[in-house]
Amino acid sequence: MNVAWEESGWEPLAPGVGRLRLPGWDATTGLAVGADAALLYDTGSTLREGAAIRAHTRTLLGGRRVTHIALSHPHFDHVLGTAAFAEAEVYGAAGMAELLTGDTAGLYEDAVRHGVAAGEAAEAVDLLVAPRHPVSGEVTLNLGGLRVVLANAGPGHTAHDLAMLVPGSPAVVFCGDLVEESGEPQAGPDAVPARWPAALDRLLALGGEDALYVPGHGAVVDAAFVRAQRDALAARAGAS
């Protein structure tokens, strides 16, 4: 399907693949579009933002719906819009569903601490949709002429990091917050710093030298950027 990415405010990356940079935290939501299905990678920080992404995608897809969602990791700015896509099949790294259906007080508090209105955060957490399809290794989905590979690449930024590879020319790797361009990689209390460099090695093995790497926040980068961030994280882990 021909997709008018730029006319809809999206950044085209490869045939059938684009992304939207969201306001606030400069988080990425990605979209892979085939003849039969469309997969959204991350859903935003609130139900309102999720609904805006849904409207963007409906316009971009000529009225078609998002059929699949992949959640990069269980932080508020990447998952709280998921309930806006009620009919989509949701994928996440193994163990993420249990985390999101357990004690969600920390998710609410993190959202509010970063500036989400308390009412919006509470609503999104109450209606939170957890992944029904856990990914422990790799899962390949055929969207109709476009293949995507979901890969459990962590732990690193969190214990539940899911990357997405769209093979092609160029290949595109959606990295979640395993890679960040608009600031230093953020290591919160759920990060696994000792394993993070290996997670970036996994991303590089997925995409190769010529791929485009899409960070969770910031501009698209190349393999050299990912490798430099990997080396910096390894040095930081070694010094701790």
Side-chain angles (χ1 to χ4, degrees), residues 47-72:
L47 287 174
R48 178 165 50 89
E49 190 161 64
I53 295 168
R54 182 186 64 208
H56 269 287
T57 58
R58 290 290 292 275
T59 299
L60 187 65
L61 299 174
R64 289 172 55 192
R65 296 177 181 272
V66 166
T67 55
H68 300 73
I69 286 171
L71 298 175
S72 65

Side-chain angles (χ1 to χ4, degrees), residues 51-206:
I53 295 168
R54 182 186 64 208
H56 269 287
T57 58
R58 290 290 292 275
T59 299
L60 187 65
L61 299 174
R64 289 172 55 192
R65 296 177 181 272
V66 166
T67 55
H68 300 73
I69 286 171
L71 298 175
S72 65
H73 63 286
H75 285 171
F76 82 94
D77 49 332
H78 299 265
V79 305
L80 287 185
T82 307
F85 301 88
E87 299 178 6
E89 297 292 334
V90 183
Y91 291 74
M96 185 174 175
E98 291 77 6
L99 184 67
L100 293 181
T101 53
D103 183 1
T104 55
L107 193 63
Y108 166 82
E109 291 164 2
D110 197 32
V112 172
R113 183 168 59 252
H114 283 85
V116 176
E120 281 198 291
E123 179 186 31
V125 169
D126 284 346
L127 298 175
L128 187 62
V129 175
R132 293 181 57 244
H133 302 282
V135 180
S136 56
E138 293 184 2
V139 170
T140 300
L141 300 174
N142 188 341
L143 305 181
L146 186 72
R147 183 170 58 92
V148 301
V149 180
L150 304 179
N152 189 331
H157 177 65
T158 72
H160 310 285
D161 294 310
L162 187 72
M164 181 172 78
L165 164 69
V166 187
S169 298
V172 181
V173 181
F174 288 88
C175 306
D177 286 4
L178 286 169
V179 177
E180 295 195 44
E181 185 276 336
S182 55
E184 290 296 315
Q186 299 301 304
D190 56 347
V192 188
R195 301 282 296 278
W196 202 329
L200 296 191
D201 286 337
R202 176 83 175 106
L203 295 184
L204 290 165
L206 272 175

Side-chain angles (χ1 to χ4, degrees), residues 8-30:
S8 302
W10 291 65
E11 178 184 353
L13 301 173
V17 187
R19 66 94 174 245
L20 188 67
R21 291 172 75 166
L22 302 172
W25 297 277
D26 193 22
T28 280
T29 183

